Amino acid sequence: KVTIKGIERELICPACKELFTHPLILPCQHNVCHKCVKEILFAFEDSFGDGGSESSNQSSPRIRISSSSMDRIDRISRSGTKRNSLTPRSTLFPCPGCQRDIDLGERGINGLFRNFTLETIVERYRQAARAAVAIMCDFCKPPPQESTKSCMDCSASFCNECFKVHHPWGTVKAQHEYVGPTTNFRPKILMCPEHEMERVNMYCEICKRLVCHLCKLGGCHANHRVTTMSSAYKTLKEKLSKDIEYLISKESQVKAHITHLDLLLKETKCNSERAKEEASQSFEKLFHVLKEKKSATLRAIEASKNLRMEKLHSQAEEYQGLLENNGLVGYAQEVLKETDPSCFVQTAKQLHVRIQKATESLKSFRPAAKTTFEDFVMDISKQEEILTDLSFRSSGVEIPEINEEQSRMYNKALISWECPGKRDSADIYVLEYHKLNREEENVTWQEIEVCSKSKVIPDLDDDSSYAFRVRAYKGSICSPWSQEVILHTPPAPVFSFLFDDKCGYNSEHLLLNPRRTSVESRAGFPLLLGSERMQVGCYTTLDYIIGDTGIAKGKHFWAFHVEAYSYLVKVGVVCSNKIQRLFHNTHDVASPR
């Protein structure tokens, strides 16, 4: 028997951190409360409507959206959800479980299944937790009696007396299914979210999703491999049972691993303290070097200042002596009073040389020392860059390389990269980009954190060059930046449109995906006949499909991707007055340009 209290961790919603309430299964197979999904979507819509994240923080206090989830909500609202009539309406949902942006499709929350199995387990856990708390009858007059059973058809709980009153013998209600007292009522039959009147009876192996026969016949699962519900139930139950039996048989090994993990926890704590101490010592060394360098630099500046001050003081005293009755001039005036020729000549000869030097210096005045300290200005740009990139030794973290062949540039940029060693050793990547502009001296890189090896960057300017670089992070360890790659956007605005599923669309010959972004021919006999006629020189019959928006004037950029297995594909532009002629006469006499 499973101890119900031992599985509490699996019953907690990743959004509100409480027990699941009406959990929904996301396409990524994580479960989130129905109310939490709506609150996250409301927070996203608020953020999208206001163009920022301020209102998104005002969501219901019940839900605890982490800062990383809010960052993703803000990022989605800023980057990739500009909708117009040309864009297929789909709903992006930031999953709090896997921290990825999940596409809920055109139906959004209405296309998600409710996880009734998980709901039942949560209810059993609640009953085990409250044990003595009784479930009261929903139909008793006050005071209500304790219920003895719950009707799954009525979705209500009854005491014995009320159950007899509301389920009399000989009526249809007497056949209702009843169980012990519970608050968890689920339908007997799961209905398809896409086709609400149809029950799910198949399992799509491609999408890992329950589907009905209408989904298989004409929906998005038409070409997918499906199995019957009984077969999927049997297969999955056998696999799950075998896996559980294997894990139970390895209980001693699991306990050994738990013991080992406990030791690793203690070892990690000790090693982290040691790493902190070593990091502190490393920075202390840097501080010591900087302190010594600072002291030496300040001493040199002080010595230079004293020397210059001494020279300037000496020069100022010399010029002070050139004033009347002062210094050298005053001394010379006293010498001129000497009347003895021999004594005068003896003293005046040397004095005359000094007076001549003073006269020359007065004519060409130049300070004895410079007042600026330009020679003592330190260039620390390289050291600053080195200190900015200061990180742990990048052991095991490879430098990623941007794959230019897989990267694409339109009005959005798809940047893809890979690791040379073909092994993904990084936890996260940081992608930086900036627009090349000759007028700007200081380059400002825009930074994006990415969990995968590709990223779509929206809202790029036309006819512009952008530089991209990426680095890998594993914990606190990072790799150096990759080599910068420069890509150019198209010379004209990108023209966005979808395929038209109404005007001239031949559903018997063509298969259009639900988003109207791709189309392919249905394989059949007419296509083979057309291929045979083409080989012998006859005109083949073409199936045309047009865009849902036309071009009136101007310069536009647009592109198609043609699959490698395609046989004959023609793409071009046609005048609107010739469209009807193409659809009525499908022989390839004059194809669109």
Side-chain angles (χ1 to χ4, degrees), residues 71-333:
D71 290 341
R72 290 206 316 285
I73 289 174
D74 294 338
R75 187 176 69 247
I76 296 169
S77 64
R78 289 195 301 268
S79 60
T81 56
K82 292 188 176 178
R83 297 178 179 147
N84 52 34
S85 59
L86 307 178
T87 310
R89 295 191 62 85
S90 60
T91 305
L92 283 177
F93 178 81
C95 174
C98 60
Q99 307 294 318
R100 291 189 297 125
D101 302 330
I102 306 301
D103 187 358
L104 300 184
E106 297 180 16
R107 289 180 57 84
I109 191 174
N110 295 324
L112 300 178
F113 278 103
R114 190 167 152 189
N115 194 337
F116 290 106
T117 302
L118 176 58
E119 207 168 319
T120 302
I121 297 173
V122 170
E123 176 60 24
R124 287 207 300 268
Y125 173 83
R126 282 197 173 100
Q127 289 181 0
R130 61 194 174 211
V133 179
I135 299 175
M136 309 310 291
C137 176
D138 294 327
F139 295 89
C140 279
K141 294 180 180 180
Q145 301 294 317
E146 183 177 336
S147 63
T148 57
K149 54 179 69 69
S150 295
C151 178
M152 303 305 291
D153 295 277
C154 301
S155 299
S157 298
F158 300 85
C159 64
N160 286 330
E161 295 300 325
C162 291
F163 187 81
K164 294 176 182 178
V165 171
H166 290 85
H167 299 78
W169 288 104
T171 64
V172 177
K173 286 190 175 183
Q175 306 300 320
H176 284 187
E177 177 187 358
Y178 63 90
V179 294
T182 182
T183 58
N184 178 39
F185 301 100
R186 66 181 191 180
K188 296 180 179 179
I189 301 174
L190 279 179
M191 308 306 288
C192 177
E194 297 282 341
H195 311 93
E196 298 178 356
M197 302 303 295
E198 301 294 331
R199 61 179 295 178
V200 291
N201 53 8
M202 289 178 282
Y203 180 74
C204 178
E205 296 182 355
I206 305 298
C207 302
K208 309 298 182 185
R209 180 181 173 88
L210 304 175
V211 296
C212 68
H213 69 282
L214 292 181
C215 294
K216 175 59 179 172
L217 289 176
C220 56
H221 304 272
N223 296 326
H224 293 180
R225 185 173 65 253
V226 300
T227 59
T228 61
M229 192 64 70
S230 58
S231 176
Y233 170 81
K234 183 179 179 181
T235 302
L236 290 173
K237 195 155 191 175
E238 287 178 356
K239 288 181 179 180
L240 186 59
S241 299
K242 287 181 180 179
D243 292 340
I244 293 173
E245 287 176 4
Y246 174 80
L247 290 176
I248 292 174
S249 67
K250 299 294 181 179
E251 184 176 353
S252 58
Q253 185 177 349
V254 172
K255 289 181 178 179
H257 288 333
I258 293 173
T259 304
H260 181 59
L261 288 172
D262 289 336
L263 293 175
L264 291 180
L265 286 170
K266 296 179 181 178
E267 186 177 345
T268 301
K269 187 176 180 179
C270 294
N271 289 341
S272 68
E273 296 299 326
R274 188 181 301 114
K276 286 181 183 180
E277 186 177 349
E278 291 176 357
S280 298
Q281 291 176 358
S282 299
F283 279 100
E284 287 296 333
K285 290 180 180 179
L286 288 177
F287 293 154
H288 180 71
V289 172
L290 288 174
K291 189 176 180 179
E292 288 293 324
K293 198 69 177 176
K294 177 183 176 181
S295 300
T297 303
L298 295 179
R299 286 197 301 269
I301 294 174
E302 185 68 21
S304 178
K305 181 201 79 171
N306 293 334
L307 181 60
R308 295 183 190 191
M309 294 283 285
E310 184 179 350
K311 288 181 179 180
L312 290 173
H313 274 301
S314 177
Q315 188 179 21
E317 290 176 356
E318 289 181 6
Y319 277 96
Q320 190 74 27
L322 299 181
L323 298 176
E324 186 178 0
N325 299 322
N326 198 3
L328 181 62
V329 173
Y331 173 64
Q333 288 175 335

Side-chain angles (χ1 to χ4, degrees), residues 408-410 461-466 468 486-491:
R408 298 285 184 271
M409 283 286 281
Y410 301 109
D461 296 334
D462 302 328
D463 199 11
S464 302
S465 296
Y466 287 83
F468 300 88
I486 298 176
L487 300 175
H488 198 83
T489 55

Side-chain angles (χ1 to χ4, degrees), residues 236-454:
L236 290 173
K237 195 155 191 175
E238 287 178 356
K239 288 181 179 180
L240 186 59
S241 299
K242 287 181 180 179
D243 292 340
I244 293 173
E245 287 176 4
Y246 174 80
L247 290 176
I248 292 174
S249 67
K250 299 294 181 179
E251 184 176 353
S252 58
Q253 185 177 349
V254 172
K255 289 181 178 179
H257 288 333
I258 293 173
T259 304
H260 181 59
L261 288 172
D262 289 336
L263 293 175
L264 291 180
L265 286 170
K266 296 179 181 178
E267 186 177 345
T268 301
K269 187 176 180 179
C270 294
N271 289 341
S272 68
E273 296 299 326
R274 188 181 301 114
K276 286 181 183 180
E277 186 177 349
E278 291 176 357
S280 298
Q281 291 176 358
S282 299
F283 279 100
E284 287 296 333
K285 290 180 180 179
L286 288 177
F287 293 154
H288 180 71
V289 172
L290 288 174
K291 189 176 180 179
E292 288 293 324
K293 198 69 177 176
K294 177 183 176 181
S295 300
T297 303
L298 295 179
R299 286 197 301 269
I301 294 174
E302 185 68 21
S304 178
K305 181 201 79 171
N306 293 334
L307 181 60
R308 295 183 190 191
M309 294 283 285
E310 184 179 350
K311 288 181 179 180
L312 290 173
H313 274 301
S314 177
Q315 188 179 21
E317 290 176 356
E318 289 181 6
Y319 277 96
Q320 190 74 27
L322 299 181
L323 298 176
E324 186 178 0
N325 299 322
N326 198 3
L328 181 62
V329 173
Y331 173 64
Q333 288 175 335
E334 292 297 323
V335 171
L336 286 173
K337 296 177 181 179
E338 177 63 49
T339 57
D340 186 350
S342 58
C343 291
F344 176 80
V345 171
Q346 183 183 17
T347 306
K349 182 61 178 176
Q350 183 184 8
L351 181 60
H352 186 250
V353 173
R354 291 177 63 191
I355 292 293
Q356 281 183 327
K357 288 183 178 179
T359 304
E360 290 175 2
S361 67
L362 187 62
K363 291 179 181 178
S364 58
F365 173 74
R366 180 180 296 175
K370 293 181 179 180
T371 59
T372 61
F373 284 75
E374 295 176 352
D375 296 339
F376 291 88
V377 176
M378 302 191 70
D379 181 14
I380 61 169
S381 56
K382 292 183 179 179
Q383 289 77 5
E384 189 176 5
E385 184 178 350
I386 292 173
L387 287 174
T388 302
D389 290 337
L390 186 66
S391 62
F392 300 104
R393 290 191 294 268
S394 58
S395 56
V397 183
E398 297 179 333
I399 305 175
E401 296 178 357
I402 295 179
N403 191 325
E404 296 188 53
E405 294 183 357
Q406 294 183 2
S407 299
R408 298 285 184 271
M409 283 286 281
Y410 301 109
N411 58 343
K412 299 179 182 179
L414 170 62
I415 307 300
S416 300
W417 57 88
E418 56 190 20
C419 296
K422 304 300 181 185
R423 61 187 182 91
D424 191 3
S425 59
D427 297 330
I428 198 170
Y429 295 92
V430 173
L431 174 66
E432 287 191 345
Y433 69 98
H434 74 90
K435 181 179 178 181
L436 298 181
N437 193 340
R438 296 180 180 178
E439 298 178 356
E440 293 184 4
E441 296 182 359
N442 298 325
V443 175
T444 302
W445 291 86
Q446 299 190 50
E447 181 180 297
I448 304 174
E449 290 187 359
V450 187
C451 295
S452 59
K453 291 185 178 180
S454 64

